[in-house]
Amino acid sequence: VGQRLLARFPDAGLVSVLPGNLSREPALPLPGGFTVGETVYYIGPTKSLIGVEGEVIGPGTHSDIFGKGVDVAFKNELFSCLCEHLSREPPLPGGFKAGETVYYAGKGGGYKNGDMNVYGATGEVKGPSTHSDLDVLFERHKLVHSYRAHQLSRDPPPLFAGGFKPGDRLYYSGCAVLGYDASGKHSFKLSFGERGEVVGQGDAATEVSMIFTGPGQTNRQFSLLPAELSWEEPSGGEPCSSRSRLRGVLAARKERQERAGASGAEAK
């Protein structure tokens, strides 16, 4: 048929093909040991495809993929994929895989054994969890703990309120407050001038989670406003009563909301 040939294939019958698409020798194995028709799952960087099931169609035809990947049909569309972006097993929640390095991007918190969740800490995915999505062992943790996929990130998470980052050592410059340990049963006091460490985002996006330690005390964790924190050790005594502190906190929050509203209006 013109410059094309008719070839008979056992599963397809007569097919019109270009001579360049035929060979007298068996086709070379596909990269990664994949085979045509094999079911695979996407685990690469394209978020809309993570976890999607597909079928291997043949060798990768895109110039960047040729010799390093295969063509796969996902959602009735053809994609050229690197071999490392494909898995023969269904991926874990969030598209993560066992052995992958992740960062903690959730709120601070702790466990009864003393392990603390630190924003930005690196860990290793151990596998699926029977209590949540994934089991992860984080640096400085004694035990493997369970996490939701949204608490984990493949990239270092961004800074939070006040521009602070994990590990920053800051002084508390507000009035004495009460907080609770991980069990929620025991209260602890945070006093003016104590120094602690930033471990993550607080209970609100405008707050910072801090851990404070002291002689004979367990880790104490508090959610604080950046205005209540200082790089330098504060001088003088406790600046306010609990009632005036509450007024100050509310005023600071109102001011931030007004600034955010003004910024939004200017952007329009």
Side-chain angles (χ1 to χ4, degrees):
V1 183
Q3 297 300 316
R4 305 176 73 89
L5 300 174
L6 283 177
R8 187 185 302 277
F9 296 93
D11 297 327
L14 283 174
V15 179
S16 175
V17 294
L18 292 170
N21 291 337
L22 298 173
S23 172
R24 292 182 173 83
E25 303 296 330
L28 295 174
L30 295 179
F34 292 108
T35 57
V36 174
E38 185 176 2
T39 297
V40 292
Y41 301 87
Y42 186 79
I43 57 172
T46 305
K47 293 183 179 180
S48 61
L49 287 179
I50 291 177
V52 175
E53 179 181 309
E55 179 182 342
V56 176
I57 302 300
T61 54
H62 192 279
S63 58
D64 294 336
I65 304 296
F66 187 78
K68 299 180 290 186
V70 293
D71 282 352
V72 183
F74 291 113
K75 300 179 179 179
N76 296 321
E77 291 187 55
L78 192 65
F79 295 85
S80 287
C81 304
L82 291 171
C83 293
E84 57 263 36
H85 293 166
L86 301 172
S87 171
R88 291 179 171 86
E89 301 295 330
L92 298 172
F96 294 104
K97 55 186 178 182
E100 185 174 1
T101 297
V102 294
Y103 297 86
Y104 183 70
K107 294 181 179 179
Y111 301 92
K112 293 181 180 179
N113 75 325
D115 289 345
M116 302 298 294
N117 288 326
V118 178
Y119 184 87
T122 57
E124 180 184 335
V125 176
K126 293 299 182 182
S129 170
T130 56
H131 305 294
S132 188
D133 288 337
L134 300 161
D135 280 346
V136 182
L137 178 62
F138 278 102
E139 58 185 355
R140 300 183 183 178
H141 278 195
K142 305 179 186 70
L143 299 175
V144 172
H145 299 289
S146 299
Y147 297 89
R148 292 292 184 188
H150 67 79
Q151 295 176 294
L152 308 172
S153 171
R154 290 182 173 85
D155 301 309
L159 301 179
F160 27 82
F164 299 120
K165 63 182 183 299
D168 284 346
R169 300 280 294 170
L170 306 168
Y171 291 93
Y172 178 63
S173 57
C175 297
V177 292
L178 287 179
Y180 293 86
D181 65 1
S183 69
K185 298 178 181 179
H186 306 288
S187 62
F188 297 104
K189 182 180 179 180
L190 174 61
S191 299
F192 173 83
E194 287 196 64
R195 195 180 190 190
E197 181 177 338
V198 175
V199 294
Q201 178 180 302
D203 295 335
T206 54
E207 298 179 346
V208 178
S209 183
M210 297 276 298
I211 286 181
F212 296 84
T213 58
Q217 295 178 327
T218 57
N219 289 337
R220 295 164 295 147
Q221 192 158 356
F222 296 86
S223 182
L224 304 169
L225 291 164
E228 300 173 302
L229 303 170
S230 171
W231 289 103
E232 304 295 333
E233 184 174 6
S235 58
E238 187 173 317
C240 57
S241 65
S242 59
R243 180 173 297 179
S244 61
R245 175 181 181 275
L246 176 59
R247 286 201 300 268
V249 169
L250 293 176
R253 288 179 176 171
K254 182 179 180 181
E255 182 181 354
R256 283 196 300 276
Q257 291 173 349
E258 291 175 347
R259 288 179 179 175
S263 299
E266 291 176 0
K268 295 178 182 178

